[in-house]
Amino acid sequence: MLRFRTEGYNGCAVKYSPFFDNQLAVASAANFGLVGNGRLFILELTPNGIVPVKWFTTQDSLYDLAWSEIHESQVLAGSGDGSVKLFDSNLNDFPVQNWKEHNREVFSVNWNLVAKDRFCSSSWDGTVRVWSPERPHSLITLPTHSCTYSAAFSPHSPDILSCVTSDSYVRLFDLRTPASASNHLVMQIPIHAAPVPTVPGTPGVPPAASPPSECLTHDWNKYRPSILATAGVDRTIRTFDIRAPQQGPQAVMVGHDYAIRKLSWSPHLSNILLSGGYDMTCRAWSDQSPSGVVGDTDMMHAGPAPVMGAELGRMNQHSEFVTGVDWCLFGSEGWCASVGWDENLFVWDVRAVMG
């Protein structure tokens, strides 16, 4: 396990470079993101441990980041002052682009993995915005009318975008549809609703709805185009199949003691997730689906109750809230990174903690 201290700054997010197996970035904030500066760290894994290549200090907290998919040295960061900044590690200490349209904190940024000329941001101001790095203004504004903690493009489609919000909904937007009154909104999935029985008179009692609570994070499955996972304040991970939103969760994973702050599906295995939460742990999970079934032939779970996923192991080296987790895209399938409010970045092997 490797460790790097983001001294004076509490970690908020971590991402591996999509270009280099030994490079990652951390978005951080002074004073736990309540007031003060932010700092973006560009780090490198070396035989002598983790070393900083460069860092950029900002006037406000940095809550999330995303590596550019078209330029190996550029990183996006979402700021507490409502701005989205693009930094280049080859240049001096200032952003090469600065977009300021959100009215409140930008809590997530995500680069489109298919149409690599665009990215999105979401904010506490109740909007998701789509941008091009070549344009000074946003291309599209998607209202959610609720504090939006996480937004992401589907890794399988250039035009499908999802987000999760404080009102406990997953919203899906299809940018190919006419804007009209719906603003490209094509689906709303209530995260805490009871599933609707698909066959009248089916024996068994479907699970009741649970009280809505804020959803803080979500992620698309890298292998199953219709599957995404959500988690948040109620300490529960749920997976949904957007082909059957009325069916409710496909799988449920329970075990965190406090709110779950970050989720990430494995880029190597279709049924493995990683989570980090306010109970100071990172946990690996299986949604109990067969790992060999992927793509459009993926079978939907049938039945009134979701499958109960299994915790595979946990890492408990953090001494404060875990706010960011990410998998390494390269090499063997177990390496990941985590950051937290304890000013620590850990790089570790999930397989070492799996029972």
Side-chain angles (χ1 to χ4, degrees):
M1 182 178 290
L2 301 175
R3 174 181 174 271
F4 176 82
R5 187 168 176 220
T6 57
E7 189 171 357
Y9 291 87
N10 310 105
C12 294
V14 60
K15 293 285 172 60
Y16 274 94
S17 165
F19 295 98
F20 302 109
D21 61 356
N22 67 335
Q23 204 165 90
L24 39 78
V26 173
S28 63
N31 305 307
F32 307 100
L34 298 175
V35 65
N37 302 106
R39 181 167 287 179
L40 175 67
F41 292 88
I42 310 295
L43 306 171
E44 200 165 275
L45 304 174
T46 75
N48 298 318
I50 304 173
V51 298
V53 175
K54 194 144 195 172
W55 62 75
F56 301 93
T57 304
T58 57
Q59 289 188 332
D60 213 314
S61 306
L62 297 181
Y63 293 121
D64 197 22
L65 64 99
W67 285 88
S68 167
E69 290 290 326
I70 53 178
H71 199 300
E72 62 191 26
S73 64
Q74 294 186 348
V75 184
L76 277 176
S79 176
D81 64 4
S83 68
V84 179
K85 302 177 189 295
L86 182 66
F87 295 93
D88 191 315
S89 61
N90 293 328
L91 301 177
N92 290 327
D93 190 15
F94 60 88
V96 294
Q97 277 276 31
N98 188 69
W99 298 273
K100 179 70 167 69
E101 293 185 22
H102 286 293
N103 298 320
R104 292 199 61 194
E105 292 85 344
V106 176
F107 217 59
S108 81
V109 287
N110 177 261
W111 207 287
N112 194 316
L113 299 180
V114 185
K116 298 184 178 185
D117 61 344
R118 68 182 82 160
F119 59 89
C120 68
S121 62
S122 72
S123 169
W124 294 0
D125 66 6
T127 66
V128 175
R129 293 177 188 263
V130 178
W131 312 81
S132 164
E134 306 297 328
R135 302 285 187 88
H137 304 290
S138 60
L139 305 176
I140 303 170
T141 299
L142 305 169
T144 65
H145 310 292
S146 188
C147 180
T148 309
Y149 289 110
S150 173
F153 281 102
S154 165
H156 309 278
S157 168
D159 299 301
I160 302 295
L161 188 155
S162 60
C163 67
V164 293
T165 50
S166 59
D167 64 0
S168 181
Y169 278 90
V170 180
R171 289 175 170 84
L172 266 78
F173 300 91
D174 188 338
L175 304 184
R176 296 166 296 188
T177 61
S180 65
S182 67
N183 289 292
H184 304 288
L185 182 67
V186 293
M187 190 180 298
Q188 289 191 106
I189 304 174
I191 295 169
H192 294 83
V196 177
T198 53
V199 180
T202 302
V205 179
S210 53
S213 63
E214 293 192 308
C215 188
L216 303 178
T217 179
H218 81 304
D219 193 31
W220 287 90
N221 191 291
K222 310 303 190 291
Y223 293 94
R224 297 183 164 98
S226 63
I227 300 294
L228 52 78
T230 69
V233 171
D234 71 350
R235 315 182 303 278
T236 303
I237 301 170
R238 296 173 176 84
T239 68
F240 293 90
D241 192 322
I242 62 173
R243 296 173 298 178
Q246 76 287 345
Q247 198 178 85
Q250 298 282 297
V252 171
M253 286 152 270
V254 180
H256 274 284
D257 298 319
Y258 295 105
I260 299 168
R261 177 64 183 82
K262 192 67 176 179
L263 272 184
S264 182
W265 283 100
S266 168
H268 304 284
L269 301 168
S270 65
N271 58 353
I272 303 297
L273 302 102
L274 186 63
S275 63
Y278 290 168
D279 59 5
M280 299 180 273
T281 68
C282 301
R283 306 191 188 209
W285 306 85
S286 167
D287 69 354
Q288 302 289 57
S289 63
S291 62
V293 181
V294 297
D296 294 334
T297 60
D298 182 21
M299 298 294 289
M300 278 189 289
H301 164 68
V307 172
M308 292 304 297
E311 182 182 328
L312 304 177
R314 70 184 68 173
M315 190 277 270
N316 55 10
Q317 295 299 307
H318 285 283
S319 56
E320 255 294 353
F321 293 170
V322 177
T323 51
V325 295
D326 194 38
W327 297 88
C328 182
L329 300 173
F330 302 94
S332 55
E333 68 266 10
W335 285 97
C336 69
S338 60
V339 294
W341 276 10
D342 56 2
E343 301 183 4
N344 279 323
L345 159 74
F346 290 110
V347 172
W348 49 286
D349 189 345
V350 172
R351 293 165 298 181
V353 303
M354 288 169 61

